[in-house]
Amino acid sequence: MPRSVPADPGVAPPPAAAGDERPLLVCLHGWLLAGRLWDPLRVALDDRQRLWTPDLPGFGGTPRPRSLAPTLASYGRWVAEQCLTLAERRVVLVGHSLGGSVALHAAPLLAGRLVGVIQIAAGGGVYQPRAFSQLRTGGRLFLQWRPSWLAELPGTAAIRSPLIAEQRAARSLLACSTNRGAVCQLPALVAGLQVPSLWIAGSRDQVMEPRYVRHLAGYSDRHELAELQGCGHLPMRQAPHQLAGVIESWVQSLARPRS
């Protein structure tokens, strides 16, 4: 069987074939990244799962509509609206880092279609004023001084996403995700999940340490934990086959929809 070719992240997936009960995995990237983040995972899964890997508006070169406020709640609504537009009967939200927070905001809006949530390198729920202040400052300085002109040079595709991210969307989402209210809201969003969830941490992740993933996962009474040994914050790039195995096994364990 030929290897699958990474799809254009901005293109919606084809509808499921008749009799195909596999859910659509809607993969949401983290801060400053883009849908192409998931390309190695897509190849590793080799068409055994159905994936859609959109660029969140303002990232990956995808424009942000003026009507879309750069907040977690607004982006969650945008994701839910896109899923409903696709007319998919079964959806699994897969969020990476900040994309995990977006997924949690989208989940309550997909009742009846959402069958699972996968969180990768996503955790927290504990407000840390000093650490978050430093993160906001570092992010602001990067966006202010990033060499955006590098994105126009050949051979820079791997680093293009952070260079072209819309400044307002990037700054506002970082500020929103690290303010006290948003951080303290996460446990309630997790506790409110009506579907099973899988939480995946990298044992060497220094951005989102496994203990913070375990902490937030614990608010869900229907969760499973998986720790990828030797992986950091980007397991879909560092160990796509290992990640694919964990995801595929869990998705297959989900109960089929009731008739």
Side-chain angles (χ1 to χ4, degrees):
M1 178 182 296
R3 305 298 290 178
S4 55
V5 177
D8 182 343
V11 176
D20 186 351
E21 296 186 350
R22 293 177 300 170
L24 178 67
L25 275 57
V26 179
C27 301
L28 308 174
H29 61 79
W31 189 63
L32 290 185
L33 301 174
R36 68 187 304 272
L37 170 75
W38 304 97
D39 286 354
L41 177 64
R42 184 192 298 277
V43 172
L45 287 169
D46 197 21
D47 291 329
R48 294 188 301 274
Q49 298 294 328
R50 303 173 57 235
L51 270 67
W52 183 42
T53 60
D55 294 333
L56 294 176
F59 300 90
T62 298
R64 177 179 60 87
R66 294 183 63 181
S67 60
L68 179 62
T71 66
L72 294 175
S74 293
Y75 271 57
R77 286 192 294 272
W78 179 87
V79 169
E81 289 168 0
Q82 301 308 304
C83 290
L84 294 174
T85 299
L86 293 174
E88 290 287 338
R89 292 191 308 112
R90 305 180 74 215
V91 170
V92 172
L93 292 175
V94 184
H96 168 252
S97 197
L98 183 142
S101 295
V102 174
L104 290 176
H105 280 270
L109 307 176
L110 290 170
R113 303 196 187 207
L114 187 67
V115 296
V117 173
I118 299 175
Q119 298 282 69
I120 302 173
V126 179
Y127 186 64
Q128 303 177 69
R130 182 175 181 181
F132 289 150
S133 176
Q134 292 173 339
L135 182 59
R136 287 191 294 270
T137 299
R140 176 178 55 81
L141 290 174
F142 171 79
L143 291 169
Q144 180 179 351
W145 297 106
R146 59 182 169 169
S148 301
W149 55 270
L150 282 176
E152 305 301 324
L153 298 181
T156 59
I159 62 170
R160 188 169 182 266
S161 297
L163 300 175
I164 66 171
E166 181 202 305
Q167 180 151 306
R168 185 185 173 204
R171 285 190 62 174
S172 297
L173 282 171
L174 180 62
C176 178
S177 65
T178 56
N179 70 44
R180 184 186 297 273
V183 173
C184 294
Q185 185 184 16
L186 290 177
L189 289 172
V190 175
L193 288 175
Q194 301 298 308
V195 295
S197 58
L198 171 64
W199 300 72
I200 302 174
S203 66
R204 296 186 179 180
D205 191 342
Q206 297 182 355
V207 178
M208 182 58 69
E209 297 177 25
R211 58 178 172 152
Y212 294 120
V213 176
R214 290 193 296 269
H215 172 80
L216 190 57
Y219 287 95
S220 169
D221 59 1
R222 302 172 64 189
H223 76 273
E224 294 182 31
L225 284 165
E227 187 168 315
L228 304 184
Q229 295 303 311
C231 286
H233 197 58
L234 298 171
M236 65 289 291
R237 291 276 172 176
Q238 298 160 335
H241 290 278
Q242 185 181 4
L243 178 62
V246 172
I247 289 177
E248 188 166 27
S249 176
W250 185 80
V251 170
Q252 290 175 348
S253 74
L254 294 176
R256 292 183 177 275
R258 296 177 182 177
S259 57

